[in-house]
Amino acid sequence: MNDIEILKATKTYVKSVLTNAEGGHDWFHTLRVFNNSILIAENETVDLLIVQLGALLHDIADSKFYDGNETIGPDMARQFLFKHNLDSSVIEHVVNIIKHMSFKNSFENGQSFNSIELQVVQDADRLDAIGAIGIARAFNYGGFKNRGLFDPSIKPNLKMTKAEYKSSTAPTINHFYEKLLLLKDKMNTRTGKRIAQQRHKFMEQYLEQFYAEWDGER
């Protein structure tokens, strides 16, 4: 299969798998990450096929929807790509992107894998976690998990471990401080950093309005 054919097959596969996915981690999230990846890659020297496949397959089985199991997604991606006879080096690169791109992995010391392709897909995924869409996704997932919007008595945990992050049941507003507002400074690429600046500012403005409404000031 040529690149166009494998990308078409991958899109069809991902759409099928994510048919009933939670709204913040559905096909449209994947498509936004895919498009963001292409945008970022325009200013980087990358293997574009690896970037595109990594973006399309990055959330094929997000561990948060599989009892925290982080092996299912990489395994599904490997099996799919192997079935379509891609070169083993491409398969392993894409699988490593899926294994290492999640924010929760930043709680661990050191990283066993890195590449510019990983950095591009990681930035694209993180951009979709911030700004207007990031806010919508956060509250959609909070509703999906039946979490509160905000509880002033529950303070954000800024020193949590990976295990604590994965098991957290805190209100959605806490997630801004525990993840979303941290992403601007974790971007890898010039384009990612530039876009993140504006989206970060929007989140700060949103929080200011949120607290003013919460306290009956506006």
Side-chain angles (χ1 to χ4, degrees), residues 18-85:
L18 298 181
T19 297
N20 297 310
E22 180 266 331
H25 299 80
D26 58 4
W27 162 248
F28 294 109
H29 161 65
T30 295
L31 183 59
R32 290 191 301 271
V33 173
F34 178 76
N35 290 332
N36 281 339
S37 294
I38 294 173
L39 175 64
I40 295 170
E42 289 177 356
N43 295 311
E44 306 294 337
T45 302
V46 300
D47 184 318
L48 187 57
L49 179 62
I50 288 175
V51 166
Q52 291 172 308
L53 291 173
L56 288 172
L57 293 164
H58 84 279
D59 257 354
I60 196 66
D62 190 311
S63 64
K64 68 174 65 70
F65 303 108
Y66 291 84
D67 297 322
N69 190 327
E70 298 178 30
T71 67
I72 297 175
D75 287 347
M76 287 177 65
R78 179 182 282 109
Q79 292 169 14
F80 170 80
L81 296 173
F82 180 79
K83 183 174 69 173
H84 287 82
N85 299 314

Side-chain angles (χ1 to χ4, degrees), residues 12-169:
T12 299
Y13 170 66
V14 174
K15 281 183 182 179
S16 175
V17 172
L18 298 181
T19 297
N20 297 310
E22 180 266 331
H25 299 80
D26 58 4
W27 162 248
F28 294 109
H29 161 65
T30 295
L31 183 59
R32 290 191 301 271
V33 173
F34 178 76
N35 290 332
N36 281 339
S37 294
I38 294 173
L39 175 64
I40 295 170
E42 289 177 356
N43 295 311
E44 306 294 337
T45 302
V46 300
D47 184 318
L48 187 57
L49 179 62
I50 288 175
V51 166
Q52 291 172 308
L53 291 173
L56 288 172
L57 293 164
H58 84 279
D59 257 354
I60 196 66
D62 190 311
S63 64
K64 68 174 65 70
F65 303 108
Y66 291 84
D67 297 322
N69 190 327
E70 298 178 30
T71 67
I72 297 175
D75 287 347
M76 287 177 65
R78 179 182 282 109
Q79 292 169 14
F80 170 80
L81 296 173
F82 180 79
K83 183 174 69 173
H84 287 82
N85 299 314
L86 269 80
D87 186 271
S88 60
S89 64
V90 172
I91 294 175
E92 291 310 308
H93 198 154
V94 172
V95 169
N96 271 311
I97 287 173
I98 299 168
K99 284 182 176 180
H100 293 92
M101 65 177 289
S102 176
F103 173 79
K104 62 181 175 291
N105 292 329
S106 66
F107 292 99
E108 299 176 330
N109 294 323
Q111 183 162 308
S112 58
F113 174 84
N114 199 2
S115 72
I116 185 59
E117 289 80 11
L118 165 62
Q119 292 174 13
V120 168
V121 179
Q122 189 176 62
D123 278 8
D125 186 45
R126 288 175 173 177
L127 285 176
D128 206 53
I130 60 179
I133 288 177
I135 291 170
R137 291 181 66 217
F139 283 107
N140 191 84
Y141 183 72
F144 178 80
K145 299 295 287 187
N146 197 31
R147 295 180 182 176
L149 298 178
F150 175 51
D151 185 339
S153 69
I154 302 176
K155 303 302 180 184
N157 182 356
L158 303 181
K159 296 182 179 180
M160 66 173 65
T161 64
K162 180 178 178 179
E164 289 172 331
Y165 177 82
K166 290 178 68 173
S167 63
S168 175
T169 59

